[in-house]
Amino acid sequence: MTPFRYERAADAGEALRLGAGAATAYLGGGTNLVDLMRETVARPDHLVDVTGLSATITERDDGGLLIGAAVRNTALAEHRAVRARYPMLTRAILAGASAQIRNMATVGGNLLQRTRCAYFYDTEGARCNKRQPGAGCDARDGFNRIHAVLGASEACVATHPSDMCVALVALDAIVHVAGAGGERTLPLAELHRLPGDRPDLDTVLAPGELITAVELPALGLAARSTYRKVRDRASYAFALVSVAAALELDGDRVRDVRVAFGGVAAKPWRALAAEAALRGGPATAAAFHAAAEAEFATAQPLRHNAFKPALAARTLAAVLADLAKGEAA
Protein backbone atom coordinates (compact mmCIF):
# COMPACT_ATOMS: atom_id res chain seq x y z
CA MET A 1 0.00 0.00 0.00
CA THR A 2 1.30 3.44 -0.91
CA PRO A 3 1.89 5.74 2.12
CA PHE A 4 -0.83 8.35 2.53
CA ARG A 5 -1.93 11.25 4.72
CA TYR A 6 -5.30 11.04 6.52
CA GLU A 7 -7.62 13.87 7.56
CA ARG A 8 -11.22 13.84 8.72
CA ALA A 9 -13.71 16.46 7.54
CA ALA A 10 -16.47 17.65 9.83
CA ASP A 11 -18.81 18.62 7.00
CA ALA A 12 -19.04 19.03 3.22
CA GLY A 13 -17.40 22.44 3.19
CA GLU A 14 -14.34 21.20 5.03
CA ALA A 15 -14.21 18.08 2.87
CA LEU A 16 -14.10 20.20 -0.28
CA ARG A 17 -11.34 22.36 1.14
CA LEU A 18 -9.27 19.36 2.19
CA GLY A 19 -10.03 17.43 -1.00
CA ALA A 20 -8.72 20.02 -3.43
CA GLY A 21 -5.48 18.13 -4.19
CA ALA A 22 -5.08 16.10 -7.37
CA ALA A 23 -4.09 12.85 -5.58
CA THR A 24 -6.78 13.09 -2.88
CA ALA A 25 -9.54 10.51 -2.41
CA TYR A 26 -12.68 10.76 -0.29
CA LEU A 27 -13.11 7.91 2.21
CA GLY A 28 -16.54 6.75 3.37
CA GLY A 29 -16.86 3.23 4.73
CA GLY A 30 -13.75 2.19 2.82
CA THR A 31 -15.22 -1.17 1.78
CA ASN A 32 -14.01 -0.73 -1.81
CA LEU A 33 -11.36 2.00 -1.65
CA VAL A 34 -9.25 0.24 0.98
CA ASP A 35 -9.23 -2.93 -1.14
CA LEU A 36 -8.11 -0.91 -4.16
CA MET A 37 -5.33 0.66 -2.14
CA ARG A 38 -4.16 -2.71 -0.81
CA GLU A 39 -3.93 -4.02 -4.37
CA THR A 40 -2.19 -0.75 -5.46
CA VAL A 41 -4.92 -0.16 -8.04
CA ALA A 42 -5.65 3.13 -6.28
CA ARG A 43 -2.70 5.14 -4.97
CA PRO A 44 -3.97 8.34 -3.33
CA ASP A 45 -1.45 10.20 -1.22
CA HIS A 46 -4.18 11.94 0.78
CA LEU A 47 -7.43 10.50 2.23
CA VAL A 48 -10.22 12.77 3.41
CA ASP A 49 -12.68 10.97 5.68
CA VAL A 50 -16.20 12.14 4.81
CA THR A 51 -18.19 10.11 7.31
CA GLY A 52 -18.98 13.46 8.92
CA LEU A 53 -21.42 14.21 6.09
CA SER A 54 -25.15 13.85 6.71
CA ALA A 55 -26.18 10.39 7.90
CA THR A 56 -29.87 11.34 8.03
CA ILE A 57 -32.81 10.08 5.99
CA THR A 58 -35.37 12.88 5.71
CA GLU A 59 -38.97 12.20 4.74
CA ARG A 60 -40.34 14.98 2.57
CA ASP A 61 -43.89 16.27 2.54
CA ASP A 62 -44.53 14.91 -0.96
CA GLY A 63 -43.55 11.36 0.08
CA GLY A 64 -40.01 11.44 -1.30
CA LEU A 65 -36.80 10.92 0.68
CA LEU A 66 -33.52 12.78 1.00
CA ILE A 67 -30.72 10.37 1.94
CA GLY A 68 -27.47 11.76 3.32
CA ALA A 69 -24.30 10.48 1.67
CA ALA A 70 -22.97 9.07 4.94
CA VAL A 71 -26.06 6.94 5.62
CA ARG A 72 -24.94 3.35 6.10
CA ASN A 73 -26.39 0.77 3.73
CA THR A 74 -27.93 -1.17 6.63
CA ALA A 75 -29.75 1.91 7.91
CA LEU A 76 -31.14 2.63 4.45
CA ALA A 77 -32.32 -0.93 3.88
CA GLU A 78 -34.04 -1.05 7.28
CA HIS A 79 -35.72 2.37 7.13
CA ARG A 80 -39.48 1.94 7.39
CA ALA A 81 -40.26 4.38 4.56
CA VAL A 82 -37.81 2.64 2.22
CA ARG A 83 -39.27 -0.78 3.01
CA ALA A 84 -42.83 0.45 2.49
CA ARG A 85 -42.44 2.83 -0.47
CA TYR A 86 -39.36 1.50 -2.29
CA PRO A 87 -39.08 -2.24 -1.49
CA MET A 88 -36.84 -2.86 -4.52
CA LEU A 89 -34.17 -0.70 -2.84
CA THR A 90 -34.22 -2.71 0.38
CA ARG A 91 -33.99 -5.95 -1.59
CA ALA A 92 -31.12 -4.67 -3.72
CA ILE A 93 -29.08 -3.60 -0.69
CA LEU A 94 -29.65 -6.92 1.08
CA ALA A 95 -28.57 -8.79 -2.06
CA GLY A 96 -25.41 -6.74 -2.40
CA ALA A 97 -23.16 -7.66 0.49
CA SER A 98 -22.82 -9.29 3.89
CA ALA A 99 -24.20 -7.64 7.01
CA GLN A 100 -20.69 -6.63 8.09
CA ILE A 101 -20.07 -4.76 4.83
CA ARG A 102 -23.55 -3.18 4.83
CA ASN A 103 -22.88 -1.89 8.34
CA MET A 104 -19.76 -0.08 7.10
CA ALA A 105 -20.61 0.95 3.54
CA THR A 106 -22.09 4.39 2.89
CA VAL A 107 -24.60 5.48 0.28
CA GLY A 108 -22.17 7.92 -1.33
CA GLY A 109 -19.43 5.34 -1.44
CA ASN A 110 -21.70 2.71 -2.96
CA LEU A 111 -22.37 4.99 -5.92
CA LEU A 112 -18.64 5.39 -6.55
CA GLN A 113 -17.41 1.82 -6.13
CA ARG A 114 -15.33 0.53 -9.02
CA THR A 115 -15.61 -2.56 -11.20
CA ARG A 116 -14.65 -6.00 -9.89
CA CYS A 117 -13.19 -7.07 -13.24
CA ALA A 118 -10.30 -9.42 -12.40
CA TYR A 119 -8.09 -7.82 -15.04
CA PHE A 120 -8.62 -4.42 -13.43
CA TYR A 121 -7.30 -5.80 -10.13
CA ASP A 122 -4.37 -7.68 -11.67
CA THR A 123 -1.70 -5.00 -11.54
CA GLU A 124 1.13 -7.44 -12.25
CA GLY A 125 0.04 -9.40 -15.29
CA ALA A 126 -3.01 -7.89 -17.02
CA ARG A 127 -3.56 -5.03 -19.43
CA CYS A 128 -6.42 -2.76 -18.39
CA ASN A 129 -7.40 0.58 -19.92
CA LYS A 130 -9.51 1.43 -16.89
CA ARG A 131 -6.50 1.11 -14.60
CA GLN A 132 -3.87 2.35 -17.07
CA PRO A 133 -5.23 4.27 -20.09
CA GLY A 134 -3.80 3.02 -23.36
CA ALA A 135 -2.61 -0.31 -21.95
CA GLY A 136 -5.23 -2.48 -23.70
CA CYS A 137 -8.08 -4.70 -22.46
CA ASP A 138 -7.26 -8.33 -21.72
CA ALA A 139 -10.86 -9.01 -20.72
CA ARG A 140 -12.12 -8.81 -24.32
CA ASP A 141 -10.35 -12.03 -25.29
CA GLY A 142 -9.96 -13.42 -21.79
CA PHE A 143 -12.42 -14.96 -19.34
CA ASN A 144 -15.34 -12.55 -19.67
CA ARG A 145 -18.31 -14.39 -18.16
CA ILE A 146 -19.27 -11.48 -15.88
CA HIS A 147 -18.59 -8.72 -18.39
CA ALA A 148 -20.75 -6.26 -20.32
CA VAL A 149 -23.04 -6.96 -23.26
CA LEU A 150 -24.48 -3.43 -23.52
CA GLY A 151 -22.69 -0.10 -23.91
CA ALA A 152 -19.18 -1.55 -23.98
CA SER A 153 -16.35 -0.41 -26.24
CA GLU A 154 -13.15 -1.74 -27.73
CA ALA A 155 -11.37 -0.15 -24.78
CA CYS A 156 -13.36 -1.75 -21.94
CA VAL A 157 -16.01 -4.39 -21.27
CA ALA A 158 -16.15 -4.12 -17.46
CA THR A 159 -19.46 -4.02 -15.58
CA HIS A 160 -20.60 -1.80 -12.73
CA PRO A 161 -20.79 -3.84 -9.50
CA SER A 162 -23.45 -2.07 -7.43
CA ASP A 163 -26.84 -3.62 -6.69
CA MET A 164 -28.13 -0.54 -4.89
CA CYS A 165 -27.45 1.68 -7.90
CA VAL A 166 -29.60 -0.51 -10.14
CA ALA A 167 -32.61 0.08 -7.90
CA LEU A 168 -31.82 3.79 -7.57
CA VAL A 169 -31.69 4.21 -11.34
CA ALA A 170 -35.06 2.49 -11.71
CA LEU A 171 -36.46 4.82 -9.04
CA ASP A 172 -35.38 8.02 -10.88
CA ALA A 173 -33.00 8.94 -8.05
CA ILE A 174 -31.27 12.32 -8.11
CA VAL A 175 -27.71 12.85 -6.90
CA HIS A 176 -26.75 16.00 -4.97
CA VAL A 177 -23.15 17.09 -5.60
CA ALA A 178 -20.97 19.82 -4.12
CA GLY A 179 -17.78 21.18 -5.62
CA ALA A 180 -15.58 24.22 -5.97
CA GLY A 181 -18.15 25.72 -8.35
CA GLY A 182 -21.05 25.28 -5.95
CA GLU A 183 -23.83 22.72 -5.64
CA ARG A 184 -25.67 20.89 -8.39
CA THR A 185 -27.98 17.93 -8.95
CA LEU A 186 -28.12 15.35 -11.67
CA PRO A 187 -30.14 12.21 -12.35
CA LEU A 188 -28.35 9.11 -11.09
CA ALA A 189 -28.83 7.65 -14.57
CA GLU A 190 -26.39 10.32 -15.81
CA LEU A 191 -23.78 9.93 -13.05
CA HIS A 192 -21.92 6.93 -14.48
CA ARG A 193 -20.22 6.99 -17.87
CA LEU A 194 -20.06 4.36 -20.55
CA PRO A 195 -16.41 3.54 -21.29
CA GLY A 196 -15.94 4.88 -24.83
CA ASP A 197 -12.24 5.57 -25.22
CA ARG A 198 -11.83 6.79 -21.59
CA PRO A 199 -12.81 3.85 -19.37
CA ASP A 200 -10.62 5.25 -16.59
CA LEU A 201 -13.36 7.87 -16.01
CA ASP A 202 -16.17 6.08 -14.19
CA THR A 203 -18.43 9.09 -13.58
CA VAL A 204 -19.10 12.63 -14.79
CA LEU A 205 -17.94 14.14 -11.49
CA ALA A 206 -15.25 16.79 -11.77
CA PRO A 207 -12.06 16.39 -9.72
CA GLY A 208 -12.75 17.23 -6.08
CA GLU A 209 -16.55 17.05 -6.42
CA LEU A 210 -18.34 15.29 -3.58
CA ILE A 211 -21.66 13.45 -3.42
CA THR A 212 -23.60 14.89 -0.47
CA ALA A 213 -27.01 13.21 -0.79
CA VAL A 214 -29.31 11.08 -2.91
CA GLU A 215 -32.92 12.11 -3.44
CA LEU A 216 -35.73 9.66 -4.09
CA PRO A 217 -38.77 11.33 -5.67
CA ALA A 218 -42.23 10.24 -4.66
CA LEU A 219 -43.15 7.40 -7.01
CA GLY A 220 -46.44 5.65 -6.35
CA LEU A 221 -45.77 2.53 -8.41
CA ALA A 222 -42.52 1.92 -6.51
CA ALA A 223 -44.52 0.38 -3.66
CA ARG A 224 -45.13 -2.54 -6.04
CA SER A 225 -41.52 -3.27 -6.85
CA THR A 226 -38.77 -5.79 -6.33
CA TYR A 227 -35.17 -6.67 -7.13
CA ARG A 228 -33.89 -10.03 -8.30
CA LYS A 229 -30.24 -10.99 -8.66
CA VAL A 230 -28.92 -13.97 -10.62
CA ARG A 231 -25.42 -15.04 -9.60
CA ASP A 232 -23.18 -18.09 -9.73
CA ARG A 233 -23.56 -18.89 -6.04
CA ALA A 234 -26.08 -18.10 -3.35
CA SER A 235 -23.56 -16.37 -1.10
CA TYR A 236 -22.49 -12.81 -1.80
CA ALA A 237 -21.36 -12.72 -5.42
CA PHE A 238 -21.64 -10.05 -8.09
CA ALA A 239 -24.55 -10.25 -10.49
CA LEU A 240 -24.47 -12.08 -13.77
CA VAL A 241 -27.77 -10.31 -14.39
CA SER A 242 -30.02 -8.42 -12.01
CA VAL A 243 -33.39 -6.74 -12.46
CA ALA A 244 -35.01 -3.89 -10.55
CA ALA A 245 -38.65 -3.44 -11.56
CA ALA A 246 -41.80 -1.62 -10.51
CA LEU A 247 -45.18 -2.23 -12.10
CA GLU A 248 -48.56 -0.50 -12.13
CA LEU A 249 -51.50 -2.19 -13.83
CA ASP A 250 -54.79 -0.97 -15.23
CA GLY A 251 -56.83 -4.14 -15.32
CA ASP A 252 -54.83 -6.57 -17.43
CA ARG A 253 -52.68 -3.88 -19.07
CA VAL A 254 -49.52 -2.08 -18.02
CA ARG A 255 -50.24 1.51 -16.97
CA ASP A 256 -46.68 2.32 -15.92
CA VAL A 257 -43.41 0.48 -15.34
CA ARG A 258 -39.80 1.03 -14.30
CA VAL A 259 -37.00 -1.39 -15.22
CA ALA A 260 -33.25 -1.36 -14.73
CA PHE A 261 -30.64 -4.08 -15.24
CA GLY A 262 -27.40 -4.77 -13.43
CA GLY A 263 -24.47 -6.92 -14.48
CA VAL A 264 -24.81 -6.05 -18.16
CA ALA A 265 -23.01 -2.71 -18.63
CA ALA A 266 -20.43 -0.31 -17.19
CA LYS A 267 -23.28 1.56 -15.51
CA PRO A 268 -26.63 0.60 -14.00
CA TRP A 269 -28.71 0.15 -17.15
CA ARG A 270 -32.09 1.89 -17.28
CA ALA A 271 -34.19 -0.18 -19.68
CA LEU A 272 -35.99 2.60 -21.54
CA ALA A 273 -36.69 0.48 -24.62
CA ALA A 274 -38.26 -2.24 -22.49
CA GLU A 275 -40.36 0.29 -20.58
CA ALA A 276 -41.63 1.86 -23.80
CA ALA A 277 -42.56 -1.55 -25.17
CA LEU A 278 -44.47 -2.42 -22.01
CA ARG A 279 -46.48 0.75 -21.32
CA GLY A 280 -50.07 0.44 -22.47
CA GLY A 281 -49.56 -3.17 -23.53
CA PRO A 282 -50.85 -6.44 -22.13
CA ALA A 283 -49.46 -7.74 -18.85
CA THR A 284 -48.56 -11.14 -20.25
CA ALA A 285 -45.49 -13.34 -20.09
CA ALA A 286 -45.02 -13.01 -23.86
CA ALA A 287 -45.12 -9.21 -23.69
CA PHE A 288 -42.69 -9.14 -20.76
CA HIS A 289 -40.23 -11.37 -22.60
CA ALA A 290 -40.55 -9.39 -25.83
CA ALA A 291 -39.84 -6.14 -23.99
CA ALA A 292 -36.59 -7.54 -22.61
CA GLU A 293 -35.59 -8.77 -26.05
CA ALA A 294 -36.18 -5.25 -27.40
CA GLU A 295 -33.83 -3.86 -24.75
CA PHE A 296 -31.08 -6.30 -25.70
CA ALA A 297 -31.49 -5.97 -29.46
CA THR A 298 -28.16 -4.12 -29.65
CA ALA A 299 -26.30 -6.41 -27.23
CA GLN A 300 -22.78 -7.44 -28.19
CA PRO A 301 -21.95 -10.56 -26.18
CA LEU A 302 -18.42 -11.84 -25.74
CA ARG A 303 -17.18 -15.41 -25.95
CA HIS A 304 -18.13 -16.41 -22.41
CA ASN A 305 -21.27 -14.32 -21.77
CA ALA A 306 -23.51 -14.93 -24.78
CA PHE A 307 -26.08 -16.32 -22.34
CA LYS A 308 -26.72 -12.92 -20.72
CA PRO A 309 -29.40 -11.44 -23.05
CA ALA A 310 -31.56 -14.59 -22.79
CA LEU A 311 -31.00 -14.79 -19.05
CA ALA A 312 -31.98 -11.14 -18.66
CA ALA A 313 -35.15 -11.69 -20.69
CA ARG A 314 -36.20 -14.69 -18.60
CA THR A 315 -35.43 -12.88 -15.35
CA LEU A 316 -37.39 -9.76 -16.30
CA ALA A 317 -40.36 -11.83 -17.46
CA ALA A 318 -40.39 -13.75 -14.18
CA VAL A 319 -40.07 -10.61 -12.05
CA LEU A 320 -42.87 -8.77 -13.88
CA ALA A 321 -45.12 -11.84 -13.73
CA ASP A 322 -44.67 -11.98 -9.96
CA LEU A 323 -45.38 -8.26 -9.61
CA ALA A 324 -48.49 -8.60 -11.79
CA LYS A 325 -49.76 -11.30 -9.44
CA GLY A 326 -49.03 -9.14 -6.41
CA GLU A 327 -46.01 -11.19 -5.40
CA ALA A 328 -42.52 -9.90 -4.64
CA ALA A 329 -39.97 -12.69 -4.96
Side-chain angles (χ1 to χ4, degrees):
M1 183 181 288
T2 304
F4 60 89
R5 181 166 55 98
Y6 169 89
E7 293 181 280
R8 184 169 185 176
D11 52 31
E14 186 176 16
L16 291 173
R17 180 178 60 79
L18 295 173
T24 297
Y26 292 123
L27 176 70
T31 56
N32 182 215
L33 177 58
V34 172
D35 284 344
L36 293 170
M37 293 173 65
R38 284 174 178 156
E39 299 295 331
T40 67
V41 176
R43 302 182 182 184
D45 61 22
H46 183 201
L47 291 184
V48 176
D49 186 326
V50 294
T51 53
L53 296 177
S54 172
T56 301
I57 301 173
T58 303
E59 297 187 48
R60 297 192 153 176
D61 292 341
D62 64 358
L65 299 177
L66 184 67
I67 304 160
V71 170
R72 304 289 177 170
N73 285 7
T74 294
L76 182 60
E78 292 179 349
H79 194 276
R80 60 174 184 79
V82 174
R83 294 173 65 185
R85 301 176 204 167
Y86 311 95
M88 71 159 73
L89 180 54
T90 290
R91 290 177 177 269
I93 294 170
L94 296 179
S98 66
Q100 294 91 332
I101 292 176
R102 295 197 304 268
N103 289 343
M104 287 295 297
T106 63
V107 169
N110 189 293
L111 270 59
L112 297 179
Q113 63 181 296
R114 306 202 72 189
T115 184
R116 295 325 196 271
C117 172
Y119 300 96
F120 173 68
Y121 274 83
D122 184 1
T123 59
E124 297 297 326
R127 299 178 305 153
C128 175
N129 289 316
K130 184 177 282 291
R131 187 183 68 246
Q132 184 180 354
C137 177
D138 280 344
R140 290 200 65 87
D141 296 317
F143 185 65
N144 41 45
R145 177 176 171 80
I146 69 168
H147 288 72
V149 296
L150 291 172
S153 71
E154 288 296 318
C156 184
V157 292
T159 52
H160 193 269
S162 174
D163 293 282
M164 186 181 80
C165 285
V166 180
L168 290 175
V169 164
L171 293 169
D172 296 323
I174 298 167
V175 181
H176 292 239
V177 176
E183 299 180 356
R184 66 186 178 109
T185 61
L186 70 160
L188 180 59
E190 297 176 9
L191 174 66
H192 301 97
R193 298 177 72 257
L194 292 177
D197 61 359
R198 288 299 307 273
D200 55 307
L201 301 177
D202 291 343
T203 73
V204 299
L205 296 182
E209 279 196 310
L210 176 67
I211 293 174
T212 59
V214 174
E215 180 181 346
L216 285 180
L219 191 64
L221 79 161
R224 191 174 191 167
S225 70
T226 194
Y227 181 82
R228 186 171 300 179
K229 181 177 182 178
V230 181
R231 47 196 165 183
D232 279 327
R233 62 182 190 272
S235 61
Y236 295 103
F238 295 99
L240 292 171
V241 165
S242 65
V243 172
L247 184 67
E248 182 180 16
L249 298 180
D250 183 4
D252 60 358
R253 304 191 76 79
V254 176
R255 174 179 291 170
D256 201 3
V257 64
R258 297 289 188 279
V259 176
F261 288 100
V264 299
K267 61 186 293 184
W269 191 267
R270 180 66 180 269
L272 297 176
E275 291 179 6
L278 288 164
R279 285 192 185 95
T284 63
F288 298 156
H289 201 278
E293 289 184 332
E295 190 65 47
F296 284 85
T298 60
Q300 295 183 308
L302 302 164
R303 180 171 56 176
H304 299 294
N305 67 7
F307 64 89
K308 279 197 175 187
L311 177 61
R314 291 195 302 270
T315 305
L316 178 61
V319 166
L320 291 177
D322 285 345
L323 289 173
K325 292 184 293 185
E327 300 174 2

